[in-house]
Amino acid sequence: MKWFGGAIAAASMMLAGSSAFAVTIGFSQVGDEGDWRPAWSKDMQQEATKEGIDLKYADAQGKQEEQLKAVRAFIAQQVDAIIIAPVVITGWDQVLKEAKDAKIPVFLADRDVDTTDKSLYVTRISADFNLEGKIAGAWLAQASKGQCDVVELQGTTGAAPAIERNKGFQAVISQFPGMKIVKSQSGDFTTEGGKKVMEAFIKSTDNLKGICGVFAHNDNMQLGAIQAMKEAGLKPGKDFLMVSVDYVPAMKDALAAGDANASVELRSAIGKYIYPVVTDYLKSPSDLPKWIVIPSDLHTAATPGG
């Protein structure tokens, strides 16, 4: 587990000397898989410095048990608030109750949790994963005129983005009798995982015979899929419609090269959306909606700028 202290943040707060609100926040991050999440982690640390927040950062390396340790460490340190980006949606009730008993408010960022007692956290601040799946499905329906057999590269099994993006995508394509998912498998949100899954799909479908489109729950898996397809002599983006989520820099290059067709943007610079919610709550606790949505946009090869 990697920890980053807040000395720089504290110094910055003293220099700023303006409206900075001195707080200590513990942030438990999923890990550093893909390109999107490290970019978000960097943004969270940079925005904390700007805001004069003493941020205690913990990288769970994709393991919920590491997140539970980190949250309990934050509680022991008596931080002012805790932000969690959960690895998976289940198994949170006990540690959230421990935080509540310690009177430390918990905020969810990015991913959701499955709990029957929603008073255990203040609010969730994130993009709408279900909407991202719907946007991807709508784009594919339009591009294929509602006639498309799809292979799907899912995210980590049990993770909220994997569940919600699948639901949103299914909700849209189910409106088109000529569209269906014929193969679906988890690539764990990684480029290597996406490549392995696509290699298996290519083998099991006789070089993707009859397949029209590829929906990947994130760009890194799609980039791995593109690599596997090219190695098999296939032409992603030309003979197959390729749509995914994140809009990371490498996907912008793939769109420009014609290897991919569309990507739904999941913003990584979201500290500016998250910290004000947390600090305003600490200044004046109040009932907040249980979900504060960060907007998403669709980018295609025809989108100006990539």
Side-chain angles (χ1 to χ4, degrees):
M1 183 183 300
K2 294 175 278 187
W3 293 86
F4 300 85
I8 295 176
S12 175
M13 181 188 70
M14 292 174 66
L15 290 171
S18 57
S19 59
F21 179 56
V23 296
T24 300
I25 296 175
F27 173 39
S28 175
Q29 174 63 287
V30 170
D32 62 358
E33 84 284 359
D35 293 331
W36 180 83
R37 198 162 295 279
W40 177 35
S41 295
K42 183 178 180 181
D43 174 73
M44 288 291 282
Q45 293 170 66
Q46 290 177 337
E47 285 296 320
T49 300
K50 288 180 186 176
E51 295 296 324
I53 293 169
D54 179 3
L55 185 70
K56 298 185 179 301
Y57 175 90
D59 178 344
Q61 302 172 48
K63 301 173 184 174
Q64 187 185 37
E65 58 267 31
E66 293 297 330
Q67 287 203 295
L68 297 176
K69 290 179 186 175
V71 172
R72 290 189 168 107
F74 295 151
I75 294 170
Q77 295 171 70
Q78 298 182 311
V79 299
D80 297 298
I82 296 172
I83 300 171
I84 305 172
V87 174
V88 294
I89 64 174
T90 58
W92 290 99
D93 284 33
Q94 179 58 40
V95 77
L96 291 178
K97 186 175 185 304
E98 291 170 26
K100 186 176 183 180
D101 290 345
K103 302 187 185 310
I104 298 174
V106 173
F107 298 79
L108 306 179
D110 183 33
R111 301 179 178 183
D112 202 359
V113 300
D114 183 7
T115 175
T116 56
D117 184 0
K118 292 189 178 297
S119 73
L120 295 177
Y121 65 90
V122 177
T123 187
R124 173 188 171 209
I125 309 155
S126 76
D128 185 339
F129 302 139
N130 188 276
L131 178 61
E132 291 168 348
K134 288 179 177 176
I135 293 172
W139 177 85
L140 190 57
Q142 184 276 331
S144 68
K145 297 181 172 56
Q147 298 291 327
C148 193
D149 281 356
V150 183
V151 294
E152 178 188 40
L153 286 80
Q154 288 207 7
T156 303
T157 302
I163 295 168
E164 292 301 320
R165 286 171 189 161
N166 172 267
K167 284 182 179 177
F169 188 81
Q170 291 270 23
V172 170
I173 69 168
S174 66
Q175 304 302 309
F176 299 86
M179 296 186 74
K180 63 179 181 294
I181 294 174
V182 295
K183 295 274 183 185
S184 183
Q185 188 172 328
S186 172
D188 259 340
F189 285 128
T190 66
T191 302
E192 182 182 357
K195 185 171 186 289
K196 287 182 178 177
V197 170
M198 181 52 72
E199 287 171 344
F201 286 166
I202 290 170
K203 187 176 181 180
S204 63
T205 60
D206 188 18
N207 279 349
L208 301 182
K209 186 177 181 179
I211 302 301
C212 150
V214 179
F215 170 46
H217 288 193
N218 79 345
D219 284 344
N220 279 89
M221 290 193 294
Q222 192 77 306
L223 292 166
I226 289 170
Q227 185 180 346
M229 294 165 78
K230 284 187 168 183
E231 288 177 1
L234 303 174
K235 296 179 180 178
K238 300 176 181 64
D239 294 336
F240 304 91
L241 295 168
M242 309 291 289
V243 60
S244 52
V245 179
D246 277 355
Y247 196 52
V248 300
M251 179 51 66
K252 296 178 186 179
D253 294 339
L255 289 167
D259 294 332
N261 305 104
S263 177
V264 183
E265 182 176 6
L266 176 62
R267 288 179 170 83
S268 59
I270 54 177
K272 61 186 177 185
Y273 295 94
I274 295 171
Y275 290 131
V277 174
V278 177
T279 55
D280 286 351
Y281 179 87
L282 291 174
K283 290 174 185 173
S284 179
S286 59
D287 289 335
L288 296 176
K290 281 298 176 184
W291 187 16
I292 298 173
V293 178
I294 296 171
S296 299
D297 304 304
L298 175 69
H299 298 269
T300 69
T303 301

